């Protein structure tokens, strides 16, 4: 179900002939509360269980499918002037994702979540993209980005970054597990390092732009 919904959303966004805003709203509006419930239930789950030790397990596969759906829902946000709750949930409840990234889930899943966070901090509404302004103009997006920035800076101020591995085992065909007999330890995963750095920098930048006082900025 997760895969099908993500696939339909992606194909809708590719089709230039479709009235995309109407289709996206028709597809997601009835599922708005359901998707938020999914988000809460799936991401608040205890991922330290043995079901998630391998990136090939059914449980891990379901989580990857859900990340793909979140990515498609985020991409669809640009089509609606007033975003649905399910298109905002990733910003408003980003702490669930931050907790997962520092948990013991397989590295391949952590990496997908980190790259999804990068897409969040780079997201712009159509109005903001067309205006070319460096500051966000859309009220709902400003609110969402501030919530995301606050959550990111809060965990970064603690020991969150120290809990995130930057590679470790070599990666083979999307897996974080080294091939049998391969004991080599690769260097840091530069993609993850760049994405994490960008997330922190963007969170700082937005927080500074939206802070009222000099003391807050400091």
């Amino acid at each position: 179900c997760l895969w099908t919904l993500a696939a339909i959303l992606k194909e809708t966004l590719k089709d230039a002939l479709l009235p995309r805003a109407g289709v996206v709203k028709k597809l997601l509006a009835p599922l708005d509360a359901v998707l938020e419930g999914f988000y809460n239930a799936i991401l608040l789950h205890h991922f330290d269980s043995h079901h998630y030790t391998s990136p090939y397990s059914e449980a891990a596969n379901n989580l990857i499918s859900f990340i793909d759906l979140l990515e498609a829902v985020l991409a669809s946000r640009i089509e609606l002037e007033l975003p649905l709750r399910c298109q905002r949930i990733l910003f408003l409840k980003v702490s669930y994702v931050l907790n997962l990234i520092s948990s013991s889930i397989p590295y391949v899943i952590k990496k997908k979540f980190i790259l999804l966070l990068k897409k969040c901090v780079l997201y712009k509404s159509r109005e903001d993209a067309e205006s070319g302004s460096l500051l966000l103009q859309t009220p709902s997006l400003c609110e969402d980005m501030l919530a995301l920035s606050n959550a990111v800076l809060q965990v970064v101020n603690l020991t969150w970054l120290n809990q995130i591995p930057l590679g470790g085992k070599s990666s083979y065909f999307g897996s974080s597990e080294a091939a049998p007999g391969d004991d080599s330890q690769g260097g840091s995963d530069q993609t993850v390092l760049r994405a994490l750095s960008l997330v922190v920098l963007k969170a700082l930048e937005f927080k500074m732009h939206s802070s009222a006082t000099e003391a807050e900025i400091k």
Side-chain angles (χ1 to χ4, degrees):
C1 287
L2 293 170
W3 183 90
T4 304
L5 185 54
I8 292 169
L9 262 178
K10 286 174 184 175
E11 288 305 312
T12 300
L13 296 175
K14 282 182 195 172
D15 195 332
L17 300 175
L18 273 178
R20 289 191 295 245
V23 174
V24 167
K25 194 164 188 177
K26 192 174 181 181
L27 183 65
L28 291 181
L31 295 171
D32 206 16
V34 176
L35 287 175
E36 183 172 0
F38 263 30
Y39 186 92
N40 295 340
I42 292 176
L43 300 192
L44 269 182
H45 187 69
H46 294 291
F47 289 98
D48 295 331
S49 73
H50 66 279
H51 296 297
Y52 296 90
T53 52
S54 167
Y56 307 112
S57 69
E58 186 182 355
N61 202 39
N62 289 341
L63 188 53
I64 288 170
S65 293
F66 190 59
I67 298 170
D68 289 339
L69 176 58
L70 288 174
E71 194 174 320
V73 169
L74 175 66
S76 73
R77 176 172 176 155
I78 201 166
E79 300 300 333
L80 301 185
E81 200 171 319
L82 288 173
L84 297 165
R85 175 77 180 176
C86 65
Q87 293 170 316
R88 302 181 65 188
I89 197 73
L90 197 52
F91 295 85
L92 299 176
K93 294 188 177 180
V94 73
S95 58
Y96 295 15
V97 172
L98 298 173
N99 289 338
L100 269 179
I101 290 171
S102 60
S103 74
S104 60
I105 56 172
Y107 181 73
V108 66
I109 300 178
K110 292 187 184 203
K111 184 170 181 173
K112 281 185 77 73
F113 269 126
I114 289 166
L115 295 178
L116 181 59
L117 275 184
K118 175 186 165 185
K119 288 186 176 179
C120 286
V121 297
L122 292 176
Y123 177 81
K124 282 189 175 182
S125 68
R126 184 163 281 142
E127 294 81 0
D128 288 325
E130 287 171 357
S131 73
S133 171
L134 292 176
L135 300 178
L136 300 179
Q137 310 295 327
T138 317
S140 61
L141 185 55
C142 286
E143 185 185 330
D144 294 355
M145 205 64 87
L146 184 59
L148 184 143
S149 299
N150 284 335
V152 167
L153 294 175
Q154 194 174 355
V155 294
V156 166
N157 204 30
L158 302 171
T159 57
W160 183 76
L161 283 174
N162 298 338
Q163 298 169 47
I164 302 169
L166 290 175
K169 295 179 180 177
S170 304
S171 183
Y172 291 85
F173 296 101
S175 159
S176 62
E177 293 186 344
D182 183 3
D183 296 325
S184 63
Q185 291 291 317
S188 297
D189 187 330
Q190 297 300 305
T191 304
V192 168
L193 187 58
R194 283 194 299 269
L196 275 173
S197 302
L198 186 65
V199 167
V200 176
L201 285 170
K202 281 288 184 184
L204 266 173
E205 179 188 40
F206 190 80
K207 181 67 176 171
M208 284 171 66
H209 282 314
S210 57
S211 293
T213 65
E214 196 176 331
E216 275 186 311
I217 292 173
K218 284 183 179 176

